[in-house]
Amino acid sequence: MSAVPSSDLDLRLPLLSSAEEPAGKSEKGPDVQKLTIDDMLQEHCGEFGSWQLRHFVLTCLAWALEAFHTMVMIFADREPEFRCLGPGCDEMAISVCGFEPGSWVWVGGAGSSTVAQWGLVCGEKYKVGLVQAVFFGGCMIGAGTFGHLSDSMLGRKGSLTVVCLLNAVFGCLTALAPDYWTYLLLRLLTGFSTGGVGLCAFVLATEPVGSSKRGVAGMSTFYFFSTGIAMLSGIAYIFPSWRELYIASSIPSILFLVIALPFISESPRWYLVRGRINEAMTLMRTIAKSNGKHLPDGVVLALDEDVNESSVNDQSDKQGFATKEAITGSVIDVIRSPVTRIRLVLAVAINFMCSVVYYGLSLNVVNLDTNLYLNVMLNAVAEMPAFTITAVLLDKFGRKPLTIGTLWFSSLFCFAGCLMGGVGIWKVVRMICGILGIFGMAGTYNLLFIYTAELFPTVVRNVALGCATQSAQMGAILAPFIVVMGGALPFAVFASCGFVGGLLAFYLPETLNRPLYDTITGMKQGEGGLSGV
């Protein structure tokens, strides 16, 4: 083979360099590797490191705030004990109805509760239930409103800021209510803001978590809600006046805004679907650094529908990714897609039935002739084992089997409860059936948050979760009316709701170890284009 002249070799070197350049390189620089958030967390940032733990705990403190504003009515609207002052009063009576005026007095004075303050007894007793129904009605409206706002302009953190601020304001104003109707209006407004607290906190806490850790993390959020209820019992014991109690239960919302919220970050998934790639990448680098990992150069976030596209160079990255158009979604988009439409209908129906059973059984358990503060605290603590067991089994059996199993577990004991008599030992057995029923439904109620969130893509996740939460609030409104029926009928209704809910869950897809999709298009591609799942 003849030698190549040095002059000819010099001319050919640039061509050889270009032809033999490693794949993934160009004269403008290295190609960009597109990764979804789930892939980036798994490969480079860590799925649940120190950053996620800190962020998770701080965000989930908002669940305790929701418990304060929701359950405060148990203590503020209670009917206090009475004391006889003279003839015309019966110490053994269970109600003051029919007593002579001036023959009795409320223990703790007129300021001990709203019932004592405005005489909400006898013919006026319905007003107590009306306040509860109106509060949950406000929650229903707020869940839909802030579900949309957190997916669109406000974002997850922005929406959480607004609802906590409104809760603090409305809660303090409630303590100043001069009459019942003003009190009713303020409870409606408090419900409106409270409806968005858990919704925004749950999504914000779990979206930065990797797919393999998301189930356990999601179930753990509800420990904060139960802990909030238990803490509220202590606060109510310290502040027996209903006006003082509303102030005391609202101050934590102010503290959360000042102390915790500045250290909470916006969701990287929301940044991504809004086209704010730079902010998303900055946050992902922060997560990686805090977790002791390194996010290499040449890796960029992309929507799941874009990850299979061809790589782009540095120039197109600067001009394309950084200025990517925001993607928005609404409930109309959810309904328009066959995949998400069927999921939404099923999620709404199952959440409604679960809420009827959960709140209905809660009211039955609370209506025991025991110390109110201790009883509420024990009920809150009793729910925690259900969270633990569900969290342990969640990644072993999957979302769908566990949802069906817990619904039918609760249904079974509710059915047994409707067969038990209301006297003697059977009364105790019925109470045990109710406790086991709420034990199973507590696991379902919280599992549905995780399951529903994973069934929908980021662009409409809070909208869909808001719709499911709205249906749950409708169930909460209906539950007291079912309980009023008394006897075996409530247990029969609860058993039916649990059984039908389990049947409907059969038509939902499994989401265990599946990615959190960013867009509806990406979900269709990821699910293989199958309709109705």
Side-chain angles (χ1 to χ4, degrees):
M1 184 174 181
S2 60
V4 179
S6 61
S7 59
D8 292 342
L9 184 61
D10 291 340
L11 291 174
R12 291 176 57 187
L13 279 175
L15 297 177
L16 290 171
S17 299
S18 177
E20 296 172 3
E21 189 176 49
K25 299 283 184 180
S26 71
E27 59 183 358
K28 293 183 178 181
D31 284 346
V32 174
Q33 180 187 10
K34 296 180 182 180
L35 292 177
T36 64
I37 287 182
D38 280 334
D39 291 337
M40 189 174 287
L41 288 171
Q42 184 177 10
E43 297 178 18
H44 302 295
C45 301
E47 293 189 277
F48 196 83
S50 59
W51 188 95
Q52 284 101 333
L53 177 61
R54 176 183 59 83
H55 184 264
F56 179 84
V57 172
L58 290 175
T59 306
C60 288
L61 291 175
W63 275 100
L65 306 180
E66 180 178 357
F68 290 166
H69 292 285
T70 301
M71 300 303 179
V72 68
M73 68 178 71
I74 296 176
F75 304 100
D77 300 337
R78 76 188 191 280
E79 183 174 335
E81 297 180 356
F82 64 89
R83 185 176 67 253
C84 288
L85 300 177
C89 174
D90 182 6
E91 292 279 4
M92 302 303 293
I94 61 174
S95 173
V96 298
C97 297
F99 289 176
E100 293 290 337
S103 64
W104 60 277
V105 65
W106 293 115
V107 175
S112 59
S113 75
T114 59
V115 171
Q117 184 86 63
W118 296 308
L120 306 181
V121 292
C122 305
E124 299 291 305
K125 193 172 184 178
Y126 75 94
K127 291 183 178 180
V128 177
L130 181 61
V131 170
Q132 183 178 7
V134 164
F135 174 83
F136 285 119
C139 289
M140 182 178 65
I141 299 171
T145 301
F146 289 105
H148 173 73
L149 291 176
S150 62
D151 275 339
S152 54
M153 64 178 103
L154 285 182
R156 280 71 161 124
K157 182 180 178 180
S159 296
L160 185 60
T161 303
V162 171
V163 293
C164 288
L165 179 61
L166 291 177
N167 264 352
V169 172
F170 293 145
C172 291
L173 289 177
T174 302
L176 306 176
D179 54 58
Y180 170 80
W181 298 108
T182 303
Y183 176 72
L184 183 74
L185 174 62
L186 288 169
R187 287 302 288 167
L188 171 67
L189 295 175
T190 305
F192 173 75
S193 54
T194 302
V197 174
L199 176 71
C200 298
F202 178 84
V203 175
L204 184 57
T206 56
E207 282 194 335
V209 178
S211 58
S212 67
K213 308 295 184 182
R214 194 180 304 123
V216 174
M219 287 302 300
S220 299
T221 61
F222 302 102
Y223 287 107
F224 292 85
F225 184 81
S226 296
T227 301
I229 298 175
M231 292 175 60
L232 180 64
S233 299
I235 295 173
Y237 183 80
I238 297 171
F239 299 97
S241 167
W242 73 270
R243 294 187 187 274
E244 293 177 353
L245 178 58
Y246 270 108
I247 295 291
S249 60
S250 299
I251 289 177
S253 293
I254 300 174
L255 296 177
F256 178 80
L257 288 168
V258 175
I259 298 176
L261 201 60
F263 301 98
I264 295 175
S265 301
E266 180 55 87
S267 168
R269 298 181 190 273
W270 182 79
Y271 279 140
L272 181 61
V273 299
R274 297 296 293 178
R276 297 165 62 174
I277 310 300
N278 288 337
E279 288 97 325
M281 286 299 301
T282 299
L283 181 55
M284 296 302 286
R285 292 189 185 96
T286 301
I287 294 174
K289 183 178 180 181
S290 299
N291 291 343
K293 296 180 178 294
H294 174 66
L295 186 61
D297 296 333
V299 175
V300 68
L301 284 173
L303 298 171
D304 41 28
E305 64 184 46
D306 295 334
V307 293
N308 293 325
E309 292 180 359
S310 58
S311 299
V312 292
N313 57 33
D314 288 344
Q315 181 72 17
S316 62
D317 173 50
K318 294 178 181 179
Q319 296 178 351
F321 285 112
T323 59
K324 190 172 181 65
E325 183 180 355
I327 299 177
T328 60
S330 68
V331 69
I332 302 300
D333 298 304
V334 179
I335 296 173
R336 185 180 293 122
S337 170
V339 175
T340 54
R341 178 172 62 242
I342 296 177
R343 293 183 180 189
L344 181 65
V345 172
L346 292 172
V348 164
I350 296 171
N351 274 272
F352 173 81
M353 294 179 186
C354 178
S355 183
V356 170
V357 181
Y358 178 78
Y359 284 103
L361 289 175
S362 295
L363 291 175
N364 272 351
V365 174
V366 170
N367 288 335
L368 299 174
D369 190 17
T370 58
N371 182 281
L372 178 63
Y373 306 100
L374 180 62
N375 192 36
V376 172
M377 183 185 70
L378 291 177
N379 285 335
V381 173
E383 292 183 359
M384 294 185 182
F387 306 155
T388 304
I389 294 173
T390 308
V392 170
L393 300 178
L394 190 61
D395 290 332
K396 183 176 182 180
F397 293 102
R399 280 63 163 154
K400 180 176 177 177
L402 207 56
T403 299
I404 297 170
T406 51
L407 280 166
W408 283 359
F409 179 91
S410 178
S411 176
L412 176 64
F413 284 100
C414 287
F415 179 72
C418 78
L419 299 178
M420 303 300 165
V423 294
I425 188 64
W426 299 114
K427 185 177 181 179
V428 177
V429 174
R430 176 183 286 185
M431 182 188 71
I432 294 174
C433 288
I435 293 174
L436 291 173
I438 198 172
F439 175 84
M441 196 55 67
T444 309
Y445 196 78
N446 302 314
L447 169 61
L448 284 177
F449 258 87
I450 301 171
Y451 201 4
T452 304
E454 292 179 345
L455 286 170
F456 299 92
T458 302
V459 70
V460 292
R461 181 168 298 121
N462 264 24
V463 169
L465 199 54
C467 291
T469 304
Q470 282 182 302
S471 68
Q473 300 302 340
M474 291 179 65
I477 295 172
L478 180 62
F481 297 101
I482 298 175
V483 172
V484 168
M485 297 177 185
L489 186 58
F491 277 100
V493 175
F494 301 152
S496 300
C497 288
F499 181 73
V500 174
L503 287 179
L504 293 177
F506 268 104
Y507 295 93
L508 288 173
E510 179 56 71
T511 59
L512 177 63
N513 295 328
R514 301 302 298 270
L516 280 183
Y517 294 103
D518 298 317
T519 64
I520 295 177
T521 300
M523 173 173 281
K524 290 178 180 178
Q525 294 173 350
E527 299 291 345
L530 296 176
S531 300
V533 294

PDB file of all heavy atoms in Angstrom, residues 442-470:
ATOM      1  N   ALA A 442     -61.025   3.905  55.938  1.00  0.00           N
ATOM      2  CA  ALA A 442     -59.972   4.902  56.115  1.00  0.00           C
ATOM      3  C   ALA A 442     -58.812   4.616  55.163  1.00  0.00           C
ATOM      4  O   ALA A 442     -58.237   5.529  54.562  1.00  0.00           O
ATOM      5  CB  ALA A 442     -59.485   4.915  57.561  1.00  0.00           C
ATOM      6  N   GLY A 443     -58.471   3.321  55.020  1.00  0.00           N
ATOM      7  CA  GLY A 443     -57.430   2.956  54.060  1.00  0.00           C
ATOM      8  C   GLY A 443     -57.838   3.272  52.640  1.00  0.00           C
ATOM      9  O   GLY A 443     -57.051   3.794  51.842  1.00  0.00           O
ATOM     10  N   THR A 444     -59.092   2.986  52.291  1.00  0.00           N
ATOM     11  CA  THR A 444     -59.581   3.270  50.937  1.00  0.00           C
ATOM     12  C   THR A 444     -59.597   4.761  50.655  1.00  0.00           C
ATOM     13  O   THR A 444     -59.164   5.221  49.593  1.00  0.00           O
ATOM     14  CB  THR A 444     -61.011   2.722  50.753  1.00  0.00           C
ATOM     15  OG1 THR A 444     -61.058   1.364  51.163  1.00  0.00           O
ATOM     16  CG2 THR A 444     -61.438   2.825  49.304  1.00  0.00           C
ATOM     17  N   TYR A 445     -60.129   5.526  51.597  1.00  0.00           N
ATOM     18  CA  TYR A 445     -60.319   6.962  51.409  1.00  0.00           C
ATOM     19  C   TYR A 445     -59.001   7.647  51.070  1.00  0.00           C
ATOM     20  O   TYR A 445     -58.940   8.526  50.215  1.00  0.00           O
ATOM     21  CB  TYR A 445     -60.917   7.556  52.681  1.00  0.00           C
ATOM     22  CG  TYR A 445     -61.514   8.931  52.502  1.00  0.00           C
ATOM     23  CD1 TYR A 445     -62.758   9.085  51.924  1.00  0.00           C
ATOM     24  CD2 TYR A 445     -60.825  10.073  52.906  1.00  0.00           C
ATOM     25  CE1 TYR A 445     -63.316  10.337  51.752  1.00  0.00           C
ATOM     26  CE2 TYR A 445     -61.370  11.325  52.739  1.00  0.00           C
ATOM     27  CZ  TYR A 445     -62.621  11.457  52.168  1.00  0.00           C
ATOM     28  OH  TYR A 445     -63.156  12.707  51.988  1.00  0.00           O
ATOM     29  N   ASN A 446     -57.933   7.231  51.740  1.00  0.00           N
ATOM     30  CA  ASN A 446     -56.633   7.851  51.515  1.00  0.00           C
ATOM     31  C   ASN A 446     -55.917   7.266  50.303  1.00  0.00           C
ATOM     32  O   ASN A 446     -55.216   7.968  49.580  1.00  0.00           O
ATOM     33  CB  ASN A 446     -55.787   7.696  52.770  1.00  0.00           C
ATOM     34  CG  ASN A 446     -56.452   8.316  53.981  1.00  0.00           C
ATOM     35  OD1 ASN A 446     -56.953   9.426  53.909  1.00  0.00           O
ATOM     36  ND2 ASN A 446     -56.475   7.612  55.086  1.00  0.00           N
ATOM     37  N   LEU A 447     -56.120   5.964  50.078  1.00  0.00           N
ATOM     38  CA  LEU A 447     -55.548   5.328  48.900  1.00  0.00           C
ATOM     39  C   LEU A 447     -56.084   5.957  47.618  1.00  0.00           C
ATOM     40  O   LEU A 447     -55.361   6.082  46.617  1.00  0.00           O
ATOM     41  CB  LEU A 447     -55.859   3.829  48.919  1.00  0.00           C
ATOM     42  CG  LEU A 447     -55.572   3.011  47.658  1.00  0.00           C
ATOM     43  CD1 LEU A 447     -54.092   3.072  47.315  1.00  0.00           C
ATOM     44  CD2 LEU A 447     -56.018   1.571  47.853  1.00  0.00           C
ATOM     45  N   LEU A 448     -57.347   6.378  47.640  1.00  0.00           N
ATOM     46  CA  LEU A 448     -57.955   6.954  46.446  1.00  0.00           C
ATOM     47  C   LEU A 448     -57.276   8.249  46.007  1.00  0.00           C
ATOM     48  O   LEU A 448     -57.304   8.595  44.825  1.00  0.00           O
ATOM     49  CB  LEU A 448     -59.452   7.206  46.683  1.00  0.00           C
ATOM     50  CG  LEU A 448     -60.347   5.961  46.635  1.00  0.00           C
ATOM     51  CD1 LEU A 448     -61.785   6.323  46.966  1.00  0.00           C
ATOM     52  CD2 LEU A 448     -60.266   5.291  45.261  1.00  0.00           C
ATOM     53  N   PHE A 449     -56.679   8.990  46.952  1.00  0.00           N
ATOM     54  CA  PHE A 449     -55.932  10.185  46.577  1.00  0.00           C
ATOM     55  C   PHE A 449     -54.769   9.811  45.668  1.00  0.00           C
ATOM     56  O   PHE A 449     -54.538  10.425  44.627  1.00  0.00           O
ATOM     57  CB  PHE A 449     -55.417  10.898  47.831  1.00  0.00           C
ATOM     58  CG  PHE A 449     -56.216  12.106  48.214  1.00  0.00           C
ATOM     59  CD1 PHE A 449     -57.327  11.990  49.024  1.00  0.00           C
ATOM     60  CD2 PHE A 449     -55.866  13.359  47.768  1.00  0.00           C
ATOM     61  CE1 PHE A 449     -58.074  13.085  49.388  1.00  0.00           C
ATOM     62  CE2 PHE A 449     -56.601  14.476  48.113  1.00  0.00           C
ATOM     63  CZ  PHE A 449     -57.708  14.338  48.936  1.00  0.00           C
ATOM     64  N   ILE A 450     -54.019   8.776  46.082  1.00  0.00           N
ATOM     65  CA  ILE A 450     -52.870   8.336  45.286  1.00  0.00           C
ATOM     66  C   ILE A 450     -53.335   7.775  43.949  1.00  0.00           C
ATOM     67  O   ILE A 450     -52.806   8.127  42.891  1.00  0.00           O
ATOM     68  CB  ILE A 450     -52.088   7.253  46.060  1.00  0.00           C
ATOM     69  CG1 ILE A 450     -51.614   7.806  47.394  1.00  0.00           C
ATOM     70  CG2 ILE A 450     -50.911   6.749  45.244  1.00  0.00           C
ATOM     71  CD1 ILE A 450     -51.037   6.756  48.304  1.00  0.00           C
ATOM     72  N   TYR A 451     -54.303   6.906  44.011  1.00  0.00           N
ATOM     73  CA  TYR A 451     -54.794   6.226  42.807  1.00  0.00           C
ATOM     74  C   TYR A 451     -55.329   7.238  41.798  1.00  0.00           C
ATOM     75  O   TYR A 451     -54.996   7.195  40.603  1.00  0.00           O
ATOM     76  CB  TYR A 451     -55.883   5.235  43.210  1.00  0.00           C
ATOM     77  CG  TYR A 451     -56.139   4.126  42.212  1.00  0.00           C
ATOM     78  CD1 TYR A 451     -55.364   3.979  41.058  1.00  0.00           C
ATOM     79  CD2 TYR A 451     -57.152   3.198  42.435  1.00  0.00           C
ATOM     80  CE1 TYR A 451     -55.602   2.957  40.161  1.00  0.00           C
ATOM     81  CE2 TYR A 451     -57.399   2.166  41.538  1.00  0.00           C
ATOM     82  CZ  TYR A 451     -56.624   2.060  40.403  1.00  0.00           C
ATOM     83  OH  TYR A 451     -56.869   1.047  39.511  1.00  0.00           O
ATOM     84  N   THR A 452     -56.155   8.169  42.260  1.00  0.00           N
ATOM     85  CA  THR A 452     -56.743   9.166  41.361  1.00  0.00           C
ATOM     86  C   THR A 452     -55.665  10.045  40.750  1.00  0.00           C
ATOM     87  O   THR A 452     -55.701  10.358  39.555  1.00  0.00           O
ATOM     88  CB  THR A 452     -57.768  10.031  42.116  1.00  0.00           C
ATOM     89  OG1 THR A 452     -58.758   9.193  42.713  1.00  0.00           O
ATOM     90  CG2 THR A 452     -58.451  11.009  41.169  1.00  0.00           C
ATOM     91  N   ALA A 453     -54.681  10.448  41.566  1.00  0.00           N
ATOM     92  CA  ALA A 453     -53.606  11.302  41.047  1.00  0.00           C
ATOM     93  C   ALA A 453     -52.801  10.595  39.965  1.00  0.00           C
ATOM     94  O   ALA A 453     -52.357  11.215  38.995  1.00  0.00           O
ATOM     95  CB  ALA A 453     -52.685  11.726  42.190  1.00  0.00           C
ATOM     96  N   GLU A 454     -52.611   9.286  40.102  1.00  0.00           N
ATOM     97  CA  GLU A 454     -51.814   8.537  39.126  1.00  0.00           C
ATOM     98  C   GLU A 454     -52.613   8.188  37.865  1.00  0.00           C
ATOM     99  O   GLU A 454     -52.014   7.819  36.853  1.00  0.00           O
ATOM    100  CB  GLU A 454     -51.287   7.265  39.770  1.00  0.00           C
ATOM    101  CG  GLU A 454     -50.262   7.527  40.864  1.00  0.00           C
ATOM    102  CD  GLU A 454     -49.754   6.254  41.521  1.00  0.00           C
ATOM    103  OE1 GLU A 454     -50.378   5.194  41.337  1.00  0.00           O
ATOM    104  OE2 GLU A 454     -48.715   6.327  42.212  1.00  0.00           O
ATOM    105  N   LEU A 455     -53.913   8.300  37.926  1.00  0.00           N
ATOM    106  CA  LEU A 455     -54.744   7.954  36.766  1.00  0.00           C
ATOM    107  C   LEU A 455     -54.771   9.045  35.706  1.00  0.00           C
ATOM    108  O   LEU A 455     -55.191   8.800  34.576  1.00  0.00           O
ATOM    109  CB  LEU A 455     -56.186   7.672  37.221  1.00  0.00           C
ATOM    110  CG  LEU A 455     -56.431   6.338  37.937  1.00  0.00           C
ATOM    111  CD1 LEU A 455     -57.833   6.324  38.533  1.00  0.00           C
ATOM    112  CD2 LEU A 455     -56.249   5.164  36.979  1.00  0.00           C
ATOM    113  N   PHE A 456     -54.297  10.259  36.042  1.00  0.00           N
ATOM    114  CA  PHE A 456     -54.405  11.390  35.125  1.00  0.00           C
ATOM    115  C   PHE A 456     -53.054  12.067  34.939  1.00  0.00           C
ATOM    116  O   PHE A 456     -52.223  12.079  35.856  1.00  0.00           O
ATOM    117  CB  PHE A 456     -55.432  12.396  35.657  1.00  0.00           C
ATOM    118  CG  PHE A 456     -56.815  11.825  35.795  1.00  0.00           C
ATOM    119  CD1 PHE A 456     -57.226  11.259  36.990  1.00  0.00           C
ATOM    120  CD2 PHE A 456     -57.691  11.836  34.726  1.00  0.00           C
ATOM    121  CE1 PHE A 456     -58.497  10.714  37.124  1.00  0.00           C
ATOM    122  CE2 PHE A 456     -58.964  11.297  34.846  1.00  0.00           C
ATOM    123  CZ  PHE A 456     -59.361  10.733  36.044  1.00  0.00           C
ATOM    124  N   PRO A 457     -52.807  12.660  33.765  1.00  0.00           N
ATOM    125  CA  PRO A 457     -51.529  13.329  33.498  1.00  0.00           C
ATOM    126  C   PRO A 457     -51.422  14.662  34.234  1.00  0.00           C
ATOM    127  O   PRO A 457     -52.418  15.216  34.707  1.00  0.00           O
ATOM    128  CB  PRO A 457     -51.559  13.529  31.977  1.00  0.00           C
ATOM    129  CG  PRO A 457     -53.008  13.574  31.633  1.00  0.00           C
ATOM    130  CD  PRO A 457     -53.683  12.634  32.577  1.00  0.00           C
ATOM    131  N   THR A 458     -50.195  15.168  34.310  1.00  0.00           N
ATOM    132  CA  THR A 458     -49.912  16.388  35.071  1.00  0.00           C
ATOM    133  C   THR A 458     -50.768  17.565  34.634  1.00  0.00           C
ATOM    134  O   THR A 458     -51.241  18.348  35.463  1.00  0.00           O
ATOM    135  CB  THR A 458     -48.420  16.757  34.914  1.00  0.00           C
ATOM    136  OG1 THR A 458     -47.619  15.663  35.363  1.00  0.00           O
ATOM    137  CG2 THR A 458     -48.081  18.001  35.719  1.00  0.00           C
ATOM    138  N   VAL A 459     -50.995  17.706  33.351  1.00  0.00           N
ATOM    139  CA  VAL A 459     -51.675  18.880  32.819  1.00  0.00           C
ATOM    140  C   VAL A 459     -53.111  18.983  33.319  1.00  0.00           C
ATOM    141  O   VAL A 459     -53.679  20.079  33.367  1.00  0.00           O
ATOM    142  CB  VAL A 459     -51.617  18.868  31.272  1.00  0.00           C
ATOM    143  CG1 VAL A 459     -52.491  17.768  30.694  1.00  0.00           C
ATOM    144  CG2 VAL A 459     -51.987  20.224  30.699  1.00  0.00           C
ATOM    145  N   VAL A 460     -53.719  17.866  33.712  1.00  0.00           N
ATOM    146  CA  VAL A 460     -55.101  17.893  34.225  1.00  0.00           C
ATOM    147  C   VAL A 460     -55.223  17.150  35.550  1.00  0.00           C
ATOM    148  O   VAL A 460     -56.333  16.838  35.982  1.00  0.00           O
ATOM    149  CB  VAL A 460     -56.089  17.291  33.193  1.00  0.00           C
ATOM    150  CG1 VAL A 460     -56.209  18.163  31.967  1.00  0.00           C
ATOM    151  CG2 VAL A 460     -55.697  15.864  32.822  1.00  0.00           C
ATOM    152  N   ARG A 461     -54.100  16.882  36.204  1.00  0.00           N
ATOM    153  CA  ARG A 461     -54.144  16.050  37.418  1.00  0.00           C
ATOM    154  C   ARG A 461     -54.965  16.705  38.526  1.00  0.00           C
ATOM    155  O   ARG A 461     -55.821  16.065  39.151  1.00  0.00           O
ATOM    156  CB  ARG A 461     -52.727  15.762  37.910  1.00  0.00           C
ATOM    157  CG  ARG A 461     -52.701  14.866  39.162  1.00  0.00           C
ATOM    158  CD  ARG A 461     -51.294  14.353  39.448  1.00  0.00           C
ATOM    159  NE  ARG A 461     -50.832  13.529  38.348  1.00  0.00           N
ATOM    160  CZ  ARG A 461     -49.744  13.790  37.632  1.00  0.00           C
ATOM    161  NH1 ARG A 461     -49.010  14.853  37.916  1.00  0.00           N
ATOM    162  NH2 ARG A 461     -49.383  13.012  36.641  1.00  0.00           N
ATOM    163  N   ASN A 462     -54.710  17.972  38.792  1.00  0.00           N
ATOM    164  CA  ASN A 462     -55.445  18.620  39.872  1.00  0.00           C
ATOM    165  C   ASN A 462     -56.896  18.876  39.498  1.00  0.00           C
ATOM    166  O   ASN A 462     -57.769  18.908  40.363  1.00  0.00           O
ATOM    167  CB  ASN A 462     -54.749  19.931  40.268  1.00  0.00           C
ATOM    168  CG  ASN A 462     -53.819  19.739  41.449  1.00  0.00           C
ATOM    169  OD1 ASN A 462     -53.344  18.636  41.698  1.00  0.00           O
ATOM    170  ND2 ASN A 462     -53.570  20.800  42.187  1.00  0.00           N
ATOM    171  N   VAL A 463     -57.162  19.097  38.224  1.00  0.00           N
ATOM    172  CA  VAL A 463     -58.550  19.250  37.785  1.00  0.00           C
ATOM    173  C   VAL A 463     -59.330  17.971  38.066  1.00  0.00           C
ATOM    174  O   VAL A 463     -60.439  17.991  38.616  1.00  0.00           O
ATOM    175  CB  VAL A 463     -58.619  19.602  36.281  1.00  0.00           C
ATOM    176  CG1 VAL A 463     -60.047  19.491  35.764  1.00  0.00           C
ATOM    177  CG2 VAL A 463     -58.095  21.008  36.049  1.00  0.00           C
ATOM    178  N   ALA A 464     -58.749  16.832  37.679  1.00  0.00           N
ATOM    179  CA  ALA A 464     -59.414  15.549  37.896  1.00  0.00           C
ATOM    180  C   ALA A 464     -59.528  15.235  39.386  1.00  0.00           C
ATOM    181  O   ALA A 464     -60.576  14.782  39.864  1.00  0.00           O
ATOM    182  CB  ALA A 464     -58.641  14.437  37.186  1.00  0.00           C
ATOM    183  N   LEU A 465     -58.444  15.495  40.127  1.00  0.00           N
ATOM    184  CA  LEU A 465     -58.471  15.254  41.563  1.00  0.00           C
ATOM    185  C   LEU A 465     -59.474  16.182  42.238  1.00  0.00           C
ATOM    186  O   LEU A 465     -60.130  15.802  43.216  1.00  0.00           O
ATOM    187  CB  LEU A 465     -57.071  15.458  42.158  1.00  0.00           C
ATOM    188  CG  LEU A 465     -56.781  14.842  43.530  1.00  0.00           C
ATOM    189  CD1 LEU A 465     -57.087  13.347  43.540  1.00  0.00           C
ATOM    190  CD2 LEU A 465     -55.348  15.097  43.938  1.00  0.00           C
ATOM    191  N   GLY A 466     -59.609  17.393  41.700  1.00  0.00           N
ATOM    192  CA  GLY A 466     -60.608  18.323  42.227  1.00  0.00           C
ATOM    193  C   GLY A 466     -62.019  17.812  42.013  1.00  0.00           C
ATOM    194  O   GLY A 466     -62.878  17.932  42.888  1.00  0.00           O
ATOM    195  N   CYS A 467     -62.283  17.233  40.844  1.00  0.00           N
ATOM    196  CA  CYS A 467     -63.610  16.661  40.567  1.00  0.00           C
ATOM    197  C   CYS A 467     -63.899  15.504  41.519  1.00  0.00           C
ATOM    198  O   CYS A 467     -65.019  15.375  42.049  1.00  0.00           O
ATOM    199  CB  CYS A 467     -63.688  16.173  39.125  1.00  0.00           C
ATOM    200  SG  CYS A 467     -63.686  17.481  37.882  1.00  0.00           S
ATOM    201  N   ALA A 468     -62.900  14.654  41.735  1.00  0.00           N
ATOM    202  CA  ALA A 468     -63.076  13.532  42.656  1.00  0.00           C
ATOM    203  C   ALA A 468     -63.304  14.033  44.076  1.00  0.00           C
ATOM    204  O   ALA A 468     -64.136  13.487  44.817  1.00  0.00           O
ATOM    205  CB  ALA A 468     -61.854  12.616  42.609  1.00  0.00           C
ATOM    206  N   THR A 469     -62.575  15.086  44.460  1.00  0.00           N
ATOM    207  CA  THR A 469     -62.749  15.657  45.795  1.00  0.00           C
ATOM    208  C   THR A 469     -64.125  16.287  45.942  1.00  0.00           C
ATOM    209  O   THR A 469     -64.756  16.199  46.998  1.00  0.00           O
ATOM    210  CB  THR A 469     -61.653  16.698  46.070  1.00  0.00           C
ATOM    211  OG1 THR A 469     -60.365  16.099  45.903  1.00  0.00           O
ATOM    212  CG2 THR A 469     -61.766  17.251  47.482  1.00  0.00           C
ATOM    213  N   GLN A 470     -64.611  16.931  44.874  1.00  0.00           N
ATOM    214  CA  GLN A 470     -65.953  17.497  44.904  1.00  0.00           C
ATOM    215  C   GLN A 470     -67.005  16.415  45.145  1.00  0.00           C
ATOM    216  O   GLN A 470     -67.940  16.602  45.933  1.00  0.00           O
ATOM    217  CB  GLN A 470     -66.243  18.211  43.588  1.00  0.00           C
ATOM    218  CG  GLN A 470     -65.602  19.583  43.467  1.00  0.00           C
ATOM    219  CD  GLN A 470     -65.967  20.260  42.160  1.00  0.00           C
ATOM    220  OE1 GLN A 470     -65.708  19.725  41.076  1.00  0.00           O
ATOM    221  NE2 GLN A 470     -66.577  21.419  42.248  1.00  0.00           N
TER     222      GLN A 470
END
